[in-house]
Amino acid sequence: MNEVKEVDIIRIKDNDVAEETDEVIVEYPFTIFLNDNEFITLLCTPSSLEHLAIGFLHSEGLIGTKEDILDVKIDHKKGIAYVYTKNKTNLKEKLYGKRTITTGCGKGTVFYNVIDSFKSKKIKHDFKIDKEDIIRLIRIFNKESELFLKTGGVHSCALCDKDNILIFEEDIGRHNALDKILGKTLMEDIDLKDKMILTSGRISSEVLIKVAKRGIPAIISRSAPTNLTVEMAKDLNITLIGFVRGRKMNIYSNFPSLNF
Amino acid sequence: MNEVKEVDIIRIKDNDVAEETDEVIVEYPFTIFLNDNEFITLLCTPSSLEHLAIGFLHSEGLIGTKEDILDVKIDHKKGIAYVYTKNKTNLKEKLYGKRTITTGCGKGTVFYNVIDSFKSKKIKHDFKIDKEDIIRLIRIFNKESELFLKTGGVHSCALCDKDNILIFEEDIGRHNALDKILGKTLMEDIDLKDKMILTSGRISSEVLIKVAKRGIPAIISRSAPTNLTVEMAKDLNITLIGFVRGRKMNIYSNFPSLNF
């Protein structure tokens, strides 16, 4: 699948007017069928589609463990994922009822319940990171995004340990990029309790919730968090760092985890 | 309602480590009740909430005209809008069925149907704009966003004519900022056929759909469009301009509407 497409544009620079072709990011409607029931259509970047489907369904609570997955088939031409699981959820119940439209890709989450369910669930970890590692990792992260350099139209997200970036994903949706990573870690049994998420995007509450659900102890962004994210990160014992730019950063929660 | 909140942070700059307070953007859960049925919870910036509720419901097709609205009450403390309309839609039908999770604030739209319904509906207009007006308007637009300067956590959106910015809104969600504007224009009977939308965010298909539904002939961004947006803008006869930075811009569709 192509992730970028050439279009004819008129480029204006000062008083120059030029007819050119330019590369724009592809916005790909991707429909997920769960046990032959149509569940949802995501608008995404057509890469790592199997991981996106798994990651999304897991974030939504429709897949429990890797063992719950019987089969995943992707029809790239039609943009459809067919996912089959052992436990058949009642989708009607899942789909109907309170929905929350988020600041990023809406997920139909019952928002308050999700927050409440975390209030009692502090993430236990002895994760510690050095600020020099963060500066170095974000520097590498910022250089990785080919699609962004081509199109300016994507967010990037990475899973890393203290030394290296382990998984890197890009998507037009902040949440899709994260779900692609979470799907891959589920399928490959990657232990997350000593890992971090790096993201190019703003950290809103639903991004933090996805990270918290998987017990990841730290999320780091070159952009801004919201007040709700800061409050939840403190409640959940997650290290939240924003505005990492050059040798600058703001630490919002779980201060002891950072070595200055 | 406060749109920003102070939090205690540790700010690192090179080797300086300082405990400071910093302003972060407020993420406000805002629940819309339609005719006493809970419809949805948006995560938004708590400003122009009446216009957001109206604009969202209108974009979703749950409010037809201004005359359809009987009453709107906002409970700022609880974060609830109570909207009453003449025509009672069957929310169960609206909420259940195919949903599309968008790259921005998900809207539960039946995506293909929405696109199909436009294929036949080119927007008829004789809208023309001079490139110097766009450069001037975006320059003003970029300076307007106080919240962004404070927090780096919001998108801004504006309605303007060729001469001036008429309405300016900010929100943590690209779509909320646009819906706030669309709600205000509905309530105040503002004619949109000679107006433009300016946005700080990327232009994905669902943003273009909101603009197209209201017959707005042009959308201009300092950021990127997707291929789907470019195709739809051409189909719909909407002027789509992106990457307006300084005296540079890319024109993606409806070229004749621009005076170079």
Side-chain angles (χ1 to χ4, degrees):
Chain A
M1 292 295 311
N2 291 337
E3 292 163 23
V4 297
K5 200 171 173 191
E6 287 207 333
V7 295
D8 297 327
I9 69 162
I10 293 177
R11 194 187 303 276
I12 295 181
K13 188 178 175 186
D14 296 317
N15 295 322
D16 305 343
V17 178
E19 288 186 22
E20 299 181 9
T21 60
D22 193 26
E23 286 181 316
V24 292
I25 191 76
V26 167
E27 185 177 354
Y28 178 78
F30 179 54
T31 301
I32 300 174
F33 282 73
L34 180 58
N35 300 317
D36 294 325
N37 298 306
E38 179 168 353
F39 180 48
I40 210 137
T41 299
L42 303 172
L43 299 172
C44 68
T45 301
S47 64
S48 307
L49 292 174
E50 181 173 343
H51 292 145
L52 174 57
I54 300 289
F56 180 84
L57 290 172
H58 188 262
S59 292
E60 284 291 295
L62 289 157
I63 293 176
T65 62
K66 178 185 170 185
E67 291 63 37
D68 191 27
I69 301 162
L70 296 174
D71 191 20
V72 183
K73 289 199 193 74
I74 306 290
D75 183 332
H76 289 87
K77 203 147 181 284
K78 289 184 182 163
I80 298 177
Y82 300 95
V83 181
Y84 297 91
T85 59
K86 283 184 200 159
N87 305 322
K88 315 277 180 248
T89 327
N90 184 336
L91 284 186
K92 211 158 192 149
E93 273 174 23
K94 272 271 169 194
L95 284 176
Y96 184 62
K98 291 182 192 172
R99 299 188 310 163
T100 297
I101 294 297
T102 68
T103 58
C105 303
K107 305 189 330 313
T109 311
V110 182
F111 191 75
Y112 292 103
N113 300 7
V114 175
I115 289 184
D116 295 345
S117 71
F118 282 119
K119 285 262 181 265
S120 52
K121 271 200 212 166
K122 274 188 187 298
I123 296 174
K124 287 198 175 63
H125 62 84
D126 50 12
F127 182 78
K128 260 191 170 302
I129 181 152
D130 190 288
K131 84 174 201 298
E132 294 301 328
D133 290 326
I134 293 170
I135 291 164
R136 184 176 48 78
L137 287 164
I138 285 278
R139 189 173 292 134
I140 300 164
F141 177 71
N142 289 343
K143 287 184 189 148
E144 285 254 346
S145 182
E146 276 181 37
L147 279 181
F148 184 80
L149 295 175
K150 273 187 191 172
T151 68
V154 290
H155 280 292
S156 40
C157 191
L159 183 79
C160 59
D161 59 20
K162 289 166 187 176
D163 303 318
N164 302 304
I165 287 175
L166 308 172
I167 308 172
F168 182 86
E169 291 288 354
E170 296 179 282
D171 200 283
I172 51 173
R174 284 182 295 147
H175 299 74
N176 295 339
L178 178 56
D179 279 331
K180 284 172 177 179
I181 287 173
L182 296 177
K184 187 176 167 73
T185 59
L186 186 75
M187 297 307 280
E188 298 181 1
D189 297 314
I190 296 170
D191 183 4
L192 296 175
K193 69 175 186 300
D194 58 350
K195 306 296 188 302
M196 293 173 283
I197 290 291
L198 307 183
T199 173
S200 62
R202 293 167 300 134
I203 307 174
S204 44
S205 55
E206 75 280 2
V207 167
L208 194 81
I209 287 169
K210 281 176 191 274
V211 167
K213 277 182 175 175
R214 297 294 296 275
I216 301 170
I219 178 162
I220 296 162
S221 175
R222 62 180 178 226
S223 185
T226 70
N227 74 313
L228 206 52
T229 312
V230 173
E231 286 165 22
M232 290 171 64
K234 286 176 176 173
D235 288 343
L236 297 168
N237 195 35
I238 293 173
T239 303
L240 175 63
I241 301 176
F243 290 106
V244 184
R245 293 168 188 190
R247 295 188 54 78
K248 292 185 205 169
M249 68 184 75
N250 295 349
I251 306 157
Y252 295 93
S253 66
N254 199 22
F255 304 141
S257 69
L258 198 79
N259 299 319
F260 305 121
Chain B
M1 292 296 309
N2 290 338
E3 293 162 22
V4 298
K5 200 171 173 189
E6 288 207 332
V7 295
D8 297 328
I9 69 164
I10 293 176
R11 195 186 303 273
I12 295 180
K13 188 178 174 186
D14 296 318
N15 295 322
D16 304 343
V17 178
E19 288 186 23
E20 297 181 11
T21 59
D22 192 26
E23 285 180 315
V24 293
I25 193 75
V26 167
E27 186 178 355
Y28 178 77
F30 179 53
T31 302
I32 300 173
F33 282 73
L34 181 58
N35 301 316
D36 294 322
N37 298 304
E38 179 167 352
F39 180 46
I40 210 141
T41 300
L42 303 172
L43 299 172
C44 68
T45 301
S47 64
S48 306
L49 292 174
E50 181 174 343
H51 291 146
L52 174 57
I54 299 291
F56 180 84
L57 290 172
H58 188 261
S59 293
E60 284 290 297
L62 289 158
I63 293 176
T65 61
K66 178 184 169 186
E67 290 63 37
D68 190 27
I69 302 162
L70 295 174
D71 191 19
V72 183
K73 289 198 192 74
I74 306 290
D75 183 333
H76 289 88
K77 201 145 182 281
K78 289 183 182 163
I80 298 177
Y82 301 95
V83 181
Y84 297 91
T85 59
K86 282 183 200 160
N87 304 320
K88 315 278 181 245
T89 326
N90 184 334
L91 284 184
K92 211 155 194 155
E93 274 174 20
K94 271 273 169 192
L95 284 175
Y96 183 63
K98 292 180 191 172
R99 299 188 310 162
T100 297
I101 294 295
T102 69
T103 58
C105 302
K107 305 187 331 314
T109 310
V110 181
F111 190 69
Y112 292 103
N113 300 9
V114 175
I115 289 184
D116 295 346
S117 72
F118 281 118
K119 284 260 181 265
S120 53
K121 271 199 210 166
K122 272 188 187 297
I123 295 174
K124 287 198 177 63
H125 62 85
D126 50 12
F127 182 77
K128 262 191 170 301
I129 182 153
D130 190 289
K131 83 172 201 300
E132 294 300 328
D133 291 327
I134 293 169
I135 292 164
R136 183 177 48 78
L137 288 164
I138 285 279
R139 189 172 292 136
I140 300 164
F141 177 71
N142 290 342
K143 287 184 189 149
E144 284 255 344
S145 182
E146 277 181 35
L147 279 180
F148 183 81
L149 294 175
K150 274 187 189 170
T151 68
V154 290
H155 280 294
S156 38
C157 190
L159 182 79
C160 59
D161 59 20
K162 290 166 188 177
D163 303 316
N164 303 303
I165 288 175
L166 307 172
I167 308 172
F168 181 87
E169 291 288 353
E170 296 178 283
D171 200 282
I172 51 172
R174 284 183 294 145
H175 300 73
N176 295 339
L178 178 55
D179 279 332
K180 284 173 178 179
I181 286 173
L182 296 177
K184 187 176 167 75
T185 59
L186 185 75
M187 297 305 280
E188 297 181 2
D189 298 312
I190 296 170
D191 182 5
L192 297 175
K193 70 176 186 300
D194 58 351
K195 305 295 188 302
M196 294 174 283
I197 290 291
L198 307 182
T199 173
S200 62
R202 293 165 303 132
I203 307 174
S204 44
S205 55
E206 75 280 4
V207 167
L208 194 80
I209 287 169
K210 281 176 190 273
V211 167
K213 276 183 176 175
R214 297 294 296 273
I216 300 169
I219 178 162
I220 296 162
S221 175
R222 62 180 178 225
S223 185
T226 70
N227 75 312
L228 206 52
T229 312
V230 173
E231 287 165 23
M232 290 171 65
K234 286 176 176 173
D235 288 343
L236 297 167
N237 196 36
I238 292 173
T239 303
L240 174 63
I241 301 176
F243 291 106
V244 184
R245 291 167 189 191
R247 294 188 55 79
K248 292 185 206 168
M249 68 184 76
N250 296 350
I251 306 157
Y252 295 91
S253 66
N254 199 21
F255 304 142
S257 70
L258 198 80
N259 299 319
F260 305 122

